């Protein structure tokens, strides 16, 4: 039976510094038993190197084996170098209106990811492009129409699934109407519940009903849903809306806990505690491994 520390290690997906595991990283991973890893451009030089890195991560000995994740959306959110396919942004795919093409993009992406050992893609974006001034979503969204995001987004999900890669819809309950980038600030959306149900929520409602494996939370305050806390830290939204009202029983992943939407407004320990109590299953730390270790040790101490 897994120990308490081993169980808590499964709560974390962490980033790495280079193209191979350093000795310090190996020691930390052995001590903490992190549940997964996320790769970025600085981790990926060419296919054989990526496969070697993923094999090393797979052989870290955690049980169950780790998530090995990436953001491979296409367009400006694309991590893998040539000869991997650099697909155009989701908006370009959306303009074709082709469900068949959306499926093929998902399937081809999955084949390329799984060929080098990556098993989780933080895609597709299920945000509706409802604010033309949005600095972070924009062409990452398939459409400004919820039904088109549903129709095409689900084909990408099917393609990823059938290609052997776990899809993750993001950013629940919708990041499309923000006027700020949550990497840099904490966005606040003032829409009513009725407006959210009409535009932002439908793609995520559909994904929940279809049993999508994972969803990523938005670092956004939706006043009508929780006037106090951003989604990632909100029990009202993660447990109340997502788990209870929508009946979602998949894995809930936070967006990067190091983003300024969280880090500039909450202390590290408060943020971790609120996210776990809110019902988040996996905490994402993309860049600062020592910060993830401190969060891990804090959760261990609190659990004890």
């Amino acid at each position: 039976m897994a120990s308490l520390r081993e169980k808590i290690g499964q709560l974390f997906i962490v980033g790495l510094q280079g193209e191979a595991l350093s000795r310090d990283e190996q020691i930390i991973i052995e001590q903490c038993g992190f549940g997964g890893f996320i790769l970025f451009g600085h981790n990926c030089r060419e296919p054989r190197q990526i496969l070697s890195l993923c094999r090393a991560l797979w052989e870290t000995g955690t049980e169950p084996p780790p998530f090995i994740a990436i953001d491979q959306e296409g367009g400006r959110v694309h991590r893998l170098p040539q000869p991997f396919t650099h697909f155009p942004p989701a908006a370009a795919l959306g303009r074709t209106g082709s469900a068949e093409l959306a499926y093929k993009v998902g399937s081809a992406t999955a084949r390329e990811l799984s060929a080098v050992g990556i098993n989780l893609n933080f895609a597709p974006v299920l945000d509706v492009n409802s604010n033309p001034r949005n600095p972070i979503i924009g062409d990452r969204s398939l459409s400004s129409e919820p039904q088109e995001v549903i129709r095409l987004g689900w084909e990408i999900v099917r393609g990823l699934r059938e290609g052997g890669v776990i899809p993750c819809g993001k950013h629940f309950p919708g990041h499309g109407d923000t006027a700020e980038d949550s990497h840099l600030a904490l966005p606040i959306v003032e829409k009513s519940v009725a407006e959210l149900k009409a535009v932002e929520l439908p793609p995520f409602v559909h994904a929940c009903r279809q049993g999508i494996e994972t969803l990523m939370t938005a670092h956004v305050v939706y006043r009508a849903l929780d006037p106090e806390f951003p989604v990632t830290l909100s029990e009202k939204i993660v447990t109340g809306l997502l788990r209870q009202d929508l009946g979602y029983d998949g894995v809930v992943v936070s967006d990067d806990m190091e983003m300024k939407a969280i880090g500039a407004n909450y202390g590290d320990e408060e943020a971790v505690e609120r996210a776990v109590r809110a019902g988040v299953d996996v905490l994402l730390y993309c860049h600062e491994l020592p910060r993830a270790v401190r969060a891990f040790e804090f959760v261990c101490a609190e659990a004890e």
Side-chain angles (χ1 to χ4, degrees), residues 230-252:
V231 176
T232 305
L233 311 186
S234 172
E235 187 171 356
K236 291 180 181 179
I237 298 175
V238 177
T239 294
L241 174 60
L242 182 57
R243 293 295 192 197
Q244 296 174 354
D245 295 349
L246 300 183
Y248 182 62
D249 63 358
V251 176
V252 178

Side-chain angles (χ1 to χ4, degrees), residues 128 143-154 198-199 202-203 206:
V128 178
S143 177
S144 60
E145 297 296 328
Q147 291 305 313
E148 279 298 279
V149 175
I150 291 171
R151 187 173 70 88
L152 299 177
W154 196 252
V199 178
H206 180 268

Side-chain angles (χ1 to χ4, degrees), residues 184-266:
L184 307 175
L186 178 56
I188 297 174
V189 174
E190 302 285 359
K191 277 186 170 178
S192 68
V193 172
E195 289 172 317
L196 296 174
K197 287 182 176 180
V199 178
E200 265 67 38
L201 277 168
F204 295 97
V205 172
H206 180 268
C208 290
R209 289 174 177 167
Q210 297 298 316
I212 193 169
E213 289 81 351
T214 66
L215 287 175
M216 179 181 286
T217 59
H219 295 333
V220 177
V221 173
Y222 278 97
R223 296 282 197 205
L225 301 176
D226 186 334
E228 188 173 4
F229 295 111
V231 176
T232 305
L233 311 186
S234 172
E235 187 171 356
K236 291 180 181 179
I237 298 175
V238 177
T239 294
L241 174 60
L242 182 57
R243 293 295 192 197
Q244 296 174 354
D245 295 349
L246 300 183
Y248 182 62
D249 63 358
V251 176
V252 178
V253 183
S254 78
D255 207 342
D256 184 5
M257 296 293 288
E258 299 168 35
M259 289 161 58
K260 288 187 178 179
I262 300 297
N265 294 281
Y266 300 90

Side-chain angles (χ1 to χ4, degrees), residues 90-203:
L93 178 58
R95 286 192 292 272
T96 72
S98 171
E100 179 183 8
L101 188 57
Y103 171 81
K104 287 181 176 179
V105 167
S107 177
T109 299
R111 289 199 300 273
E112 293 191 355
L113 295 180
S114 61
V116 291
I118 297 167
N119 57 25
L120 170 61
N121 190 14
F122 289 135
V125 169
L126 297 180
D127 305 316
V128 178
N129 188 22
S130 54
N131 184 345
R133 299 188 306 278
N134 193 315
I136 188 60
I137 301 301
D139 66 358
R140 295 169 64 192
S141 170
L142 287 159
S143 177
S144 60
E145 297 296 328
Q147 291 305 313
E148 279 298 279
V149 175
I150 291 171
R151 187 173 70 88
L152 299 177
W154 196 252
E155 291 303 309
I156 297 173
V157 168
R158 286 204 316 115
L160 289 169
R161 273 180 173 174
E162 293 177 19
V165 170
I166 302 164
C168 180
K170 60 187 185 186
H171 308 78
F172 177 83
H175 207 315
D177 193 35
T178 59
E180 293 179 295
D181 179 351
S182 52
H183 292 84
L184 307 175
L186 178 56
I188 297 174
V189 174
E190 302 285 359
K191 277 186 170 178
S192 68
V193 172
E195 289 172 317
L196 296 174
K197 287 182 176 180
V199 178
E200 265 67 38
L201 277 168

Side-chain angles (χ1 to χ4, degrees), residues 278-300:
V280 172
D281 299 305
V282 176
L283 300 165
L284 188 59
Y285 283 83
C286 291
H287 304 291
E288 299 179 40
L289 189 57
R291 202 166 176 179
V293 172
R294 290 194 298 272
F296 166 78
E297 294 294 352
F298 170 75
V299 176
C300 288

